[in-house]
Amino acid sequence: YGDRIGDPRVFVSDGDALRRVLYEGYVGTFEMQWTFPVAQHEPPFTLMVSDDDGVLRMGLLTGTVQADPFAIGVVGAELTVVDDAAVDGRAVYNYVSTVEFEYAARAADGRTVVVLGPEQSEDYDHYRLFLGTDDLVEHEVLSFVREQDGGTTTIDFTAGDGAATAWFPTPFSPELSPTLTIDGDVVDLVAVDPGALDDAVYLCR
């Protein structure tokens, strides 16, 4: 379960190692209880942690994914809490995530913008932007901002000695077109089916 300060992380033993798993948004209560619904695991499970008057308890519901707390020791299985020494020296692995197309769009002159990102991500730090006509060249992302309107996204990135911006509207506004702005020149983009880019060459930084 890890450090209870900040965003906690959940790990599951894998042989002698510990492998991180993603939960679907944990729920905490004023009673110092936390539930972690883990659907991306086989089998799925819900982990519950309780810290009542300094007594740490952990419960597990195997095959059940829920945000609601449950009675540890009454429902599911109660886990044995161990100290740090029990896991010292174990290899620790982050979760493995598939890279997916976030955006793919093309201008009338053939320039294509592709944004790739991990299937599961807690932030936008690992998103990559590629731009080109024949070869798609990775450009440094300066900022990645997604608004809370259903997904309007603005990506500032390097372009030569200057900066550029790729803008993608929320899917809830299909009348709006994505745009690419370079050196003050704004051009409209048209969405491209990712399957049309199967033979594209990506040049990474």
Side-chain angles (χ1 to χ4, degrees):
Y1 155 58
D3 196 337
R4 278 168 280 167
I5 299 176
D7 289 331
R9 296 180 175 182
V10 176
F11 293 82
V12 174
S13 60
D14 183 3
D16 292 331
L18 298 173
R19 192 171 298 277
R20 185 181 172 194
V21 294
L22 293 178
Y23 48 81
E24 314 302 311
Y26 76 97
V27 176
T29 71
F30 290 109
E31 291 77 23
M32 299 297 284
Q33 297 176 336
W34 302 265
T35 52
F36 302 89
V38 181
Q40 302 297 321
H41 185 268
E42 185 56 44
F45 64 88
T46 300
L47 174 69
M48 180 170 171
V49 179
S50 172
D51 191 0
D52 186 12
D53 294 330
V55 179
L56 185 64
R57 299 179 70 192
M58 300 175 69
L60 183 70
L61 291 179
T62 302
T64 300
V65 179
Q66 65 181 52
D68 296 330
F70 55 90
I72 297 176
V74 177
V75 178
E78 182 165 3
L79 304 178
T80 300
V81 178
V82 298
D83 58 23
D84 294 348
V87 295
D88 282 349
R90 291 198 182 194
V92 179
Y93 298 100
N94 205 349
Y95 60 87
V96 178
S97 185
T98 302
V99 174
E100 292 188 331
F101 281 89
E102 188 71 11
Y103 301 106
R106 181 172 291 152
D109 61 8
R111 284 180 295 177
T112 302
V113 180
V114 174
V115 180
L116 302 177
E119 179 183 18
Q120 300 285 345
S121 182
E122 298 172 336
D123 52 46
Y124 302 117
D125 293 343
H126 297 94
Y127 283 75
R128 299 290 181 262
L129 183 143
F130 296 81
L131 173 65
T133 50
D134 297 323
D135 297 337
L136 298 174
V137 180
E138 182 181 0
H139 291 252
E140 181 184 2
V141 174
L142 302 175
S143 67
F144 191 116
V145 178
R146 178 163 289 162
E147 299 176 23
Q148 297 182 353
D149 62 351
T152 297
T153 300
T154 302
I155 306 172
D156 293 325
F157 61 97
T158 59
D161 295 328
T165 300
W167 181 82
F168 300 93
T170 169
F172 299 109
S173 297
E175 74 281 3
L176 300 178
S177 299
T179 60
L180 172 67
T181 303
I182 298 180
D183 296 329
D185 183 23
V186 181
V187 296
D188 288 337
L189 302 174
V190 177
V192 177
D193 187 300
L197 300 171
D198 286 346
D199 295 328
V201 176
Y202 294 83
L203 302 178
C204 298
R205 296 176 59 244

